[in-house]
Amino acid sequence: MQIVILGSGQDAGVPQISCNCSNCSQARKNPEAILLGPSIALLDSEKEYCYLIDASPDIKRQIELITEIIPKVKTQETIPISGIFLTHAHFGHVAGLWSLGKECIDTHGITIFCSAEMSEFLTNNHPFSHMLHRKNLILSDMKVNQKYPFEDFWITSFQVPHRDEYADTVGYVIERNKKLLYLPDLDSWTDDLIRLVESVDIALIDGSFYSKDELPGRDDVPHPPIKETMELLDPTKTEIYFTHFNHTNLILNRECKERKELLEKGFKIAVDGLKFNI
Ligand SMILES: [Zn+2]
Ligand SMILES: [Zn+2]
Ligand SMILES: [Zn+2]
């Protein structure tokens, strides 16, 4: 199976609306520097399945990209998506669900896999509650730390400390011949999470900010900066890719010395379209 990074940007992607910072300006000049909202696909074009993790605001373009790899899936007639796993209820991770409703593609029976708390959030809030009522979406609760079998892979969710204004947050480990961990958002590293990263082959982790002083006056957005994460994790044990980049992140500048240092230490930088065979 393949795992494809559909979007390596933070929730609002790069460029961000009306921002003229150097990364956003660069992305307007060079389409290769555009980063779509955070999402990955788990797919196999021969077995005809394709699951997403998270539904980003860029889902329309992301489904176009998927269609080039896998034109159809066995379970759906309208779009090549077998189901969607959700990490949490922040904008960049759920807003794309709205594109599956009556005003857009009007899907039938797309299964949403998520935690019980997340499921309660979707059930009680528009537009998701309406989409559930219309059966655009169907909910399937997943217990954390329980391994669930799918076509030819296993997936396990795990609890993540992240500001939980609407519902809780999880990350996922996908397992076939290799184990790949997806953890786009967290507030801070715990010993358990560090051990979990060390236990997998490939980890795609929160790289929102390079350093703490990147967003002056925004200390209510607590993501562990890349600079500190690199002190905690060992890239010789696990292939570690940073993803979920905020538009302010200096690591997006291909010429900067911090980017070179990061790569020299053995860490990696995710890009849209990157594929892993697991
Ligand atoms: Zn996010
Ligand atoms: Zn910007
Ligand atoms: Zn978040």
Side-chain angles (χ1 to χ4, degrees):
M1 81 184 284
Q2 277 192 330
I3 296 190
V4 185
I5 297 183
L6 298 174
S8 60
Q10 175 269 359
D11 296 33
V14 182
Q16 189 154 131
I17 297 173
S18 289
C19 180
N20 291 315
C21 76
S22 56
N23 288 334
C24 290
S25 306
Q26 181 59 27
R28 287 195 189 92
K29 274 185 248 150
N30 173 12
E32 280 184 19
I34 291 173
L35 306 184
L36 300 184
S39 179
I40 62 172
L42 327 177
L43 59 86
D44 189 310
S45 49
E46 276 171 24
K47 297 194 178 81
E48 294 185 350
Y49 69 76
C50 176
Y51 296 87
L52 297 187
I53 296 189
D54 286 338
S56 98
D58 292 315
I59 197 167
K60 182 174 159 181
R61 281 189 60 191
Q62 289 165 330
I63 290 177
E64 299 284 340
L65 296 173
I66 290 168
T67 310
E68 286 170 18
I69 307 173
I70 174 168
K72 65 182 178 83
V73 299
K74 276 182 188 150
T75 46
Q76 275 287 326
E77 284 174 14
T78 44
I79 54 171
I81 305 258
S82 319
I84 304 175
F85 298 91
L86 295 177
T87 59
H88 65 303
H90 284 158
F91 168 74
H93 304 262
V94 292
L97 292 180
W98 207 342
S99 297
L100 307 183
K102 192 180 178 184
E103 303 89 338
C104 303
I105 182 74
D106 201 21
T107 55
H108 184 75
I110 294 270
T111 308
I112 304 296
F113 303 95
C114 61
S115 72
E117 235 183 90
M118 186 70 195
S119 163
E120 206 183 313
F121 167 79
L122 298 172
T123 306
N124 293 319
N125 289 282
H126 283 296
F128 315 111
S129 50
H130 185 61
M131 295 174 72
L132 289 166
H133 178 73
R134 285 179 47 76
K135 306 248 181 316
N136 295 129
L137 312 175
I138 295 171
L139 287 176
S140 179
D141 290 7
M142 286 177 80
K143 290 193 174 69
V144 287
N145 302 324
Q146 191 167 314
K147 216 166 154 178
Y148 289 86
F150 282 80
E151 277 82 349
D152 62 348
F153 66 93
W154 297 82
I155 187 160
T156 311
S157 65
F158 56 90
Q159 210 76 57
V160 175
H162 186 45
R163 51 200 174 84
D164 296 334
E165 296 98 334
Y166 312 117
D168 61 352
T169 300
V170 300
Y172 291 97
V173 174
I174 304 114
E175 189 174 347
R176 196 168 170 269
N177 296 323
K178 286 182 181 172
K179 281 186 185 177
L180 182 143
L181 172 143
Y182 187 58
L183 174 53
D185 279 80
L186 80 156
D187 287 352
S188 56
W189 288 101
T190 61
D191 290 343
D192 282 352
L193 284 177
I194 292 170
R195 271 196 296 275
L196 187 60
V197 169
E198 286 172 352
S199 74
V200 301
D201 302 288
I202 303 162
L204 312 180
I205 60 167
D206 186 337
S208 306
F209 303 109
Y210 182 76
S211 66
K212 268 206 163 75
D213 47 13
E214 215 166 292
L215 277 187
R218 290 282 297 270
D219 47 4
D220 60 332
V221 191
H223 290 265
I226 288 179
K227 214 170 157 182
E228 289 171 24
T229 298
M230 287 195 295
E231 309 274 304
L232 299 171
L233 300 177
D234 181 355
T236 63
K237 288 188 179 158
T238 304
E239 231 180 290
I240 298 173
Y241 287 81
F242 289 103
T243 188
H244 195 270
F245 299 111
N246 198 59
H247 66 112
T248 52
N249 197 320
L250 58 81
I251 226 70
L252 297 177
N253 174 357
R254 285 170 189 270
E255 307 306 323
C256 77
K257 70 168 182 1
E258 289 84 355
R259 185 182 173 106
K260 281 189 196 106
E261 279 164 17
L262 178 151
L263 297 171
E264 273 162 22
K265 283 185 179 143
F267 292 91
K268 297 179 178 183
I269 296 172
V271 288
D272 293 15
L274 189 64
K275 296 185 180 77
F276 303 90
N277 289 309
I278 72 162

